[in-house]
Amino acid sequence: MSLKVIHVFFILVSTLMCVGIAAFRLDAWRHLGDASALVQGLIATIGAVLLVGYLVHFIRKYRGLGYQ
């Protein structure tokens, strides 16, 4: 398995974690009305968006690099 594949895998796992945390914290904000839950949910959402952008950038930059 190449370093490229491992890197893409960990970016995807990190993105999924951010999405999960965002959903969990925004749901907590909706039910409890806690402002800190809203802030944490928004930060996790921003992190997920940034990770997706980084993944797209990484794939475009290293497109020619093989998966070996």
Side-chain angles (χ1 to χ4, degrees):
M1 190 177 312
S2 74
L3 190 58
K4 179 181 175 181
V5 173
I6 293 170
H7 193 74
V8 169
F9 173 75
F10 279 118
I11 294 170
L12 288 173
V13 169
S14 298
T15 303
L16 290 175
M17 288 175 59
C18 279
V19 168
I21 291 169
F24 177 73
R25 296 310 293 162
L26 291 173
D27 185 56
W29 169 69
R30 220 180 64 208
H31 289 279
L32 302 175
D34 187 16
S36 67
L38 174 62
V39 171
Q40 292 168 358
L42 291 176
I43 289 171
T45 302
I46 291 168
V49 169
L50 291 174
L51 281 167
V52 168
Y54 175 68
L55 179 62
V56 169
H57 170 74
F58 180 81
I59 289 174
R60 284 183 184 164
K61 185 173 182 178
Y62 293 105
R63 181 174 291 154
L65 192 62
Y67 287 103
Q68 299 168 336

